[in-house]
Amino acid sequence: MRRILGRGLAVLLSVAAVSAPAQPETMRPETVGEGTPEAAAPRGVIPVPVSDVRREGTFRPGEPFTYAVRAPHGDVPAAELAACLDGLGWRQAGKGRPDLEIGIDPAARGIVSEEAYRLEIAPRGIAVSARTAAGAFYAVQTLLQLMDDGRAEEIACRTIEDAPRFAYRGFMIDVSRHFRSVEFVKRQIDAMALFKLNRLHMHLTDGAGWRIEIDRYPRLTEFAAWRPYEDWQSWWEGDRSYCEADDPRARGGFYTKEEIREIVEYARLRHIEVIPEIEMPGHSEEVTAAYPELGCHGEPYRDGDLCPGNERTFEFLENVLLEVMELFPSEYIHIGGDEAGKSAWRDCAKCRERMRSEGLKDVDELQSYLIHRIERFLNAHGRRLLGWDEILDGGLAPGATVMSWRGTEGGLKAIRAGQQAVFVPGEFCYLDYTQDAPFTQPLSIGGYTPLRKVYSFEPVPAEMTPDEERLLLGVQANLWAEWIPTDSHYEYMMWPRLMALAEVAWSRPERKDYEAFRQRALQASEQLRGRGYAPFDLRTEYGERPESLAPKHHLAEGCPVSYATPWHGNYPASGAATLTDGVLGGWTYGDRRWQGFLDSDMDVTVDLGRTMPVRYVGATFMQSAGPYVWMPREAEIYGSEDGERFTLLATVHNDVPPACPYLLFKTFAYTGETRARYVRYVARSGGIPGGWLFVDEIVVQ
């Protein structure tokens, strides 16, 4: 068993599963009693508590550290908590006063929710009050951080009152793209528990590999769990085939049913609910390779989507889900639902017949039919459906919960329809994006999400009503693993950014302060590193693209721009003002500074307002091959005094090969002597289908 923070988390627990966000009463430091409220969090405590009031004096822990748990007779979770404390090396007190006294009372006064607690450190001892073992467990996590994992010779006296902002505080681990061992998953559960996260979403199936044993369909783990490639990138760039488990080239793996039970129980003892995800109907290449009759064409390697016109598809899904539900007692079963191509459905006789017989007008409604049907099946077995926001397409199933990743709009739409949502917007919550300047980091899918960005996420928009807020279950960070082959790289991408998400999920917004959090994250990262984890080294953070940190003043700043080709609606930046607003982009096209053009040239004209000498015209483009962002093939730059007759000033050709996998920036510019009022800039698309051009500013000097 691997441990985190010394003996501190070898066998720790976490919070009870709750289906709606906690609504704690307002706690203010001044209501706690006499003393001085802390301006910032206690040293090393993540997430920051609701209230922390310092008292005079210190407490000196005994050796060994002793405890007593007072709880209703026969309280099993309390007994499990006591076993947990024994695992820390602490001892149950005999005669005399214990160092730590924990009181668990469902009617405890002043404790505002099931996960709330009060922690009082006085010169004579430490007292914890909670309604449940989950609340007491969180008090222990805070205490462990204050005690520096039990090494503190003395602890400053204080009273902490605390409760979570949201009931759902999650992390998604992608074990499909690169399989992770049971021990690795347990290690992350230990760390999640320390930072009071309480949902582990396991992305168990995807085109890259099926990772869970299903007795009724053995080919899923005999064949679809294995690839004849070292890593996902080689497989993706190769023929994307699978192989038999006994093939000498086989790479991959799966969890046996016994291993799943082991993970689920390990998490339960830490009060973390494990939510399985079984992808449908898209991202199912591995299923249709193993069982081709479930695709529209009926042939291996032809379909990425399951065929919703085929009744055998529903037989398969229901049989799989029955076995999954036997293993996972979670309230929710995640069914994916994202990025289904649906193209084969249009020409599939079975799909067309299903659409005719069910009165469905298009393939979006056909997907909705599948989602509705699976939801009824899950509901009949006492479970609830959770899916990515694409499950909204064609009509949302009546009891489904939306996990909103394409921004928060999908989740807000569900909430305003009276349904629940979890917010996981990629801009803030996707940890596969690089966390520092890309040239300093391992190769990644692209994007830039530093610690500060994750921490800045505010899930509740100002216009959300209290009734709507109650339907927002919480938040989750996702870490997709396409470009992350090793365990140490995976941890490097998780930590400390997952600490930031934990504080977003737990702490009240008025208690948050990034600079104070960063100091605590530095300390916590060092503790993780000392126990064998591999977090990103926040001490050496390079930071944002320097050009983006200050306004760029130039002749075209604030000038109007006319567009002969429109920008793409998903990446408008500042609209028509973008290319002359004096604001340069950062490391990612998602920072609302870069303007995007999909499958088209960029053709714009800047009106300088009067004819003037022009010596330089330039625009910067980026390339990030993972998300299909490419340099233009060439840029043509023109000048005109009347807006009618344009003179070609320069044609600048691209010299960056499309195959280059790194994030790169290149300025395509004219330098010379001319006079112009109008500057026309044309960037030619490289012609790769699905390819993007991203530009941040047209600088004229």
Side-chain angles (χ1 to χ4, degrees), residues 427-429 431 433-436 448-458 494-501 503-504 512-519 521 536 538 541-544 549 593:
E427 180 182 357
F428 300 96
C429 298
L431 306 188
Y433 297 161
T434 185
Q435 60 196 310
D436 200 0
Y448 174 58
T449 307
L451 185 71
R452 181 187 293 271
K453 182 74 171 182
V454 179
Y455 194 77
S456 71
F457 178 39
E458 171 45 51
M494 284 179 72
W495 308 107
R497 287 186 292 181
L498 191 51
M499 301 176 198
L501 188 281
E503 191 147 310
V504 169
K512 291 174 57 184
D513 175 85
Y514 177 71
E515 294 305 326
F517 167 77
R518 190 176 188 276
Q519 292 305 310
F536 166 69
L538 193 58
E541 185 176 23
Y542 181 93
E544 182 59 278
L549 299 179
R593 295 183 174 191

Side-chain angles (χ1 to χ4, degrees), residues 32 34-38 42-43 51-61 97 99 119-127 143 146-147 152-161:
V32 177
E34 296 181 359
T36 303
E38 284 284 79
R43 174 176 165 80
S51 169
D52 174 32
V53 178
R54 285 291 300 272
R55 308 294 186 191
E56 292 185 2
T58 59
F59 170 72
R60 299 184 66 85
R97 186 183 184 90
D99 292 306
L119 172 64
E120 298 179 271
I121 303 173
R124 296 189 61 201
I126 303 171
L143 180 59
L146 290 173
M147 293 176 67
E153 294 184 1
E154 61 181 27
I155 313 168
C157 294
R158 66 209 318 142
T159 298
I160 292 175
E161 292 195 350

Side-chain angles (χ1 to χ4, degrees), residues 30 58 127 140 289 440 479 540 567 611 614:
E30 58 266 29
T58 59
V140 171
T440 70
L479 182 48
T540 62
W567 63 78
T611 299
V614 172

